[in-house]
PDB file of all heavy atoms in Angstrom:
ATOM      1  N   SER A  17       3.070   0.827  -8.691  1.00 64.00           N
ATOM      2  CA  SER A  17       3.938   1.998  -8.743  1.00 64.00           C
ATOM      3  C   SER A  17       4.989   2.005  -7.636  1.00 64.00           C
ATOM      4  O   SER A  17       5.648   3.001  -7.429  1.00 64.00           O
ATOM      5  CB  SER A  17       3.104   3.283  -8.699  1.00 64.00           C
ATOM      6  OG  SER A  17       2.395   3.356  -7.487  1.00 64.00           O
ATOM      7  N   GLU A  28      12.277   7.290 -13.671  1.00 94.00           N
ATOM      8  CA  GLU A  28      11.455   8.094 -14.586  1.00 94.00           C
ATOM      9  C   GLU A  28      10.011   7.608 -14.585  1.00 94.00           C
ATOM     10  O   GLU A  28       9.073   8.418 -14.540  1.00 94.00           O
ATOM     11  CB  GLU A  28      12.030   8.040 -15.991  1.00 94.00           C
ATOM     12  CG  GLU A  28      13.348   8.769 -16.120  1.00 94.00           C
ATOM     13  CD  GLU A  28      13.993   8.586 -17.488  1.00 94.00           C
ATOM     14  OE1 GLU A  28      13.326   8.073 -18.416  1.00 94.00           O
ATOM     15  OE2 GLU A  28      15.170   8.974 -17.627  1.00 94.00           O
ATOM     16  N   ASP A  29       9.813   6.296 -14.630  1.00 94.00           N
ATOM     17  CA  ASP A  29       8.455   5.733 -14.594  1.00 94.00           C
ATOM     18  C   ASP A  29       7.755   6.098 -13.292  1.00 94.00           C
ATOM     19  O   ASP A  29       6.557   6.421 -13.286  1.00 94.00           O
ATOM     20  CB  ASP A  29       8.496   4.211 -14.737  1.00 94.00           C
ATOM     21  CG  ASP A  29       8.882   3.751 -16.134  1.00 94.00           C
ATOM     22  OD1 ASP A  29       8.884   4.581 -17.083  1.00 94.00           O
ATOM     23  OD2 ASP A  29       9.198   2.551 -16.275  1.00 94.00           O
ATOM     24  N   PHE A  30       8.492   6.054 -12.183  1.00 96.00           N
ATOM     25  CA  PHE A  30       7.919   6.384 -10.883  1.00 96.00           C
ATOM     26  C   PHE A  30       7.486   7.853 -10.834  1.00 96.00           C
ATOM     27  O   PHE A  30       6.378   8.169 -10.385  1.00 96.00           O
ATOM     28  CB  PHE A  30       8.919   6.088  -9.773  1.00 96.00           C
ATOM     29  CG  PHE A  30       8.431   6.478  -8.406  1.00 96.00           C
ATOM     30  CD1 PHE A  30       7.383   5.786  -7.808  1.00 96.00           C
ATOM     31  CD2 PHE A  30       9.008   7.523  -7.720  1.00 96.00           C
ATOM     32  CE1 PHE A  30       6.923   6.138  -6.547  1.00 96.00           C
ATOM     33  CE2 PHE A  30       8.559   7.885  -6.457  1.00 96.00           C
ATOM     34  CZ  PHE A  30       7.508   7.190  -5.864  1.00 96.00           C
ATOM     35  N   ILE A  31       8.343   8.738 -11.302  1.00 96.00           N
ATOM     36  CA  ILE A  31       8.005  10.166 -11.311  1.00 96.00           C
ATOM     37  C   ILE A  31       6.750  10.408 -12.151  1.00 96.00           C
ATOM     38  O   ILE A  31       5.844  11.135 -11.733  1.00 96.00           O
ATOM     39  CB  ILE A  31       9.203  10.999 -11.816  1.00 96.00           C
ATOM     40  CG1 ILE A  31      10.298  11.012 -10.748  1.00 96.00           C
ATOM     41  CG2 ILE A  31       8.772  12.424 -12.184  1.00 96.00           C
ATOM     42  CD1 ILE A  31      11.623  11.565 -11.214  1.00 96.00           C
ATOM     43  N   GLN A  32       6.678   9.777 -13.308  1.00 96.00           N
ATOM     44  CA  GLN A  32       5.484   9.929 -14.150  1.00 96.00           C
ATOM     45  C   GLN A  32       4.245   9.344 -13.471  1.00 96.00           C
ATOM     46  O   GLN A  32       3.150   9.908 -13.582  1.00 96.00           O
ATOM     47  CB  GLN A  32       5.709   9.296 -15.518  1.00 96.00           C
ATOM     48  CG  GLN A  32       6.665  10.083 -16.393  1.00 96.00           C
ATOM     49  CD  GLN A  32       6.164  11.486 -16.694  1.00 96.00           C
ATOM     50  OE1 GLN A  32       4.972  11.774 -16.696  1.00 96.00           O
ATOM     51  NE2 GLN A  32       7.088  12.395 -16.932  1.00 96.00           N
ATOM     52  N   ALA A  33       4.393   8.228 -12.763  1.00 96.00           N
ATOM     53  CA  ALA A  33       3.258   7.621 -12.051  1.00 96.00           C
ATOM     54  C   ALA A  33       2.744   8.554 -10.955  1.00 96.00           C
ATOM     55  O   ALA A  33       1.531   8.702 -10.771  1.00 96.00           O
ATOM     56  CB  ALA A  33       3.653   6.268 -11.469  1.00 96.00           C
ATOM     57  N   VAL A  34       3.660   9.206 -10.239  1.00 97.00           N
ATOM     58  CA  VAL A  34       3.249  10.163  -9.201  1.00 97.00           C
ATOM     59  C   VAL A  34       2.536  11.341  -9.849  1.00 97.00           C
ATOM     60  O   VAL A  34       1.478  11.780  -9.369  1.00 97.00           O
ATOM     61  CB  VAL A  34       4.470  10.637  -8.373  1.00 97.00           C
ATOM     62  CG1 VAL A  34       4.085  11.785  -7.446  1.00 97.00           C
ATOM     63  CG2 VAL A  34       5.048   9.479  -7.574  1.00 97.00           C
ATOM     64  N   ARG A  35       3.062  11.843 -10.949  1.00 97.00           N
ATOM     65  CA  ARG A  35       2.413  12.964 -11.647  1.00 97.00           C
ATOM     66  C   ARG A  35       1.019  12.587 -12.141  1.00 97.00           C
ATOM     67  O   ARG A  35       0.075  13.375 -12.013  1.00 97.00           O
ATOM     68  CB  ARG A  35       3.267  13.406 -12.833  1.00 97.00           C
ATOM     69  CG  ARG A  35       4.558  14.096 -12.449  1.00 97.00           C
ATOM     70  CD  ARG A  35       5.353  14.391 -13.686  1.00 97.00           C
ATOM     71  NE  ARG A  35       6.582  15.139 -13.404  1.00 97.00           N
ATOM     72  CZ  ARG A  35       7.458  15.464 -14.334  1.00 97.00           C
ATOM     73  NH1 ARG A  35       7.267  15.106 -15.595  1.00 97.00           N
ATOM     74  NH2 ARG A  35       8.537  16.136 -14.011  1.00 97.00           N
ATOM     75  N   ARG A  36       0.883  11.382 -12.704  1.00 97.00           N
ATOM     76  CA  ARG A  36      -0.436  10.942 -13.201  1.00 97.00           C
ATOM     77  C   ARG A  36      -1.440  10.801 -12.053  1.00 97.00           C
ATOM     78  O   ARG A  36      -2.606  11.193 -12.187  1.00 97.00           O
ATOM     79  CB  ARG A  36      -0.311   9.628 -13.961  1.00 97.00           C
ATOM     80  CG  ARG A  36       0.252   9.788 -15.357  1.00 97.00           C
ATOM     81  CD  ARG A  36       0.127   8.517 -16.182  1.00 97.00           C
ATOM     82  NE  ARG A  36       0.882   7.409 -15.630  1.00 97.00           N
ATOM     83  CZ  ARG A  36       2.187   7.192 -15.860  1.00 97.00           C
ATOM     84  NH1 ARG A  36       2.867   8.019 -16.638  1.00 97.00           N
ATOM     85  NH2 ARG A  36       2.794   6.155 -15.325  1.00 97.00           N
ATOM     86  N   LYS A  37      -0.990  10.236 -10.933  1.00 97.00           N
ATOM     87  CA  LYS A  37      -1.867  10.086  -9.771  1.00 97.00           C
ATOM     88  C   LYS A  37      -2.299  11.461  -9.255  1.00 97.00           C
ATOM     89  O   LYS A  37      -3.478  11.673  -8.955  1.00 97.00           O
ATOM     90  CB  LYS A  37      -1.160   9.296  -8.666  1.00 97.00           C
ATOM     91  CG  LYS A  37      -1.959   9.133  -7.397  1.00 97.00           C
ATOM     92  CD  LYS A  37      -3.198   8.297  -7.590  1.00 97.00           C
ATOM     93  CE  LYS A  37      -3.850   8.015  -6.246  1.00 97.00           C
ATOM     94  NZ  LYS A  37      -5.099   7.277  -6.390  1.00 97.00           N
ATOM     95  N   ALA A  38      -1.362  12.388  -9.169  1.00 98.00           N
ATOM     96  CA  ALA A  38      -1.693  13.744  -8.713  1.00 98.00           C
ATOM     97  C   ALA A  38      -2.697  14.397  -9.657  1.00 98.00           C
ATOM     98  O   ALA A  38      -3.645  15.059  -9.214  1.00 98.00           O
ATOM     99  CB  ALA A  38      -0.423  14.584  -8.600  1.00 98.00           C
ATOM    100  N   PHE A  53       2.442  11.288  -1.093  1.00 98.00           N
ATOM    101  CA  PHE A  53       2.007  10.122  -1.855  1.00 98.00           C
ATOM    102  C   PHE A  53       3.216   9.316  -2.326  1.00 98.00           C
ATOM    103  O   PHE A  53       3.244   8.094  -2.192  1.00 98.00           O
ATOM    104  CB  PHE A  53       1.142  10.532  -3.057  1.00 98.00           C
ATOM    105  CG  PHE A  53       0.839   9.372  -3.952  1.00 98.00           C
ATOM    106  CD1 PHE A  53      -0.078   8.410  -3.560  1.00 98.00           C
ATOM    107  CD2 PHE A  53       1.488   9.219  -5.165  1.00 98.00           C
ATOM    108  CE1 PHE A  53      -0.342   7.308  -4.371  1.00 98.00           C
ATOM    109  CE2 PHE A  53       1.230   8.132  -5.982  1.00 98.00           C
ATOM    110  CZ  PHE A  53       0.314   7.170  -5.584  1.00 98.00           C
TER     111      PHE A  53
END
Side-chain angles (χ1 to χ4, degrees):
S17 62
E28 291 174 11
D29 289 347
F30 177 69
I31 288 169
Q32 288 299 334
V34 171
R35 290 176 176 177
R36 283 191 297 275
K37 178 65 172 177
F53 172 74

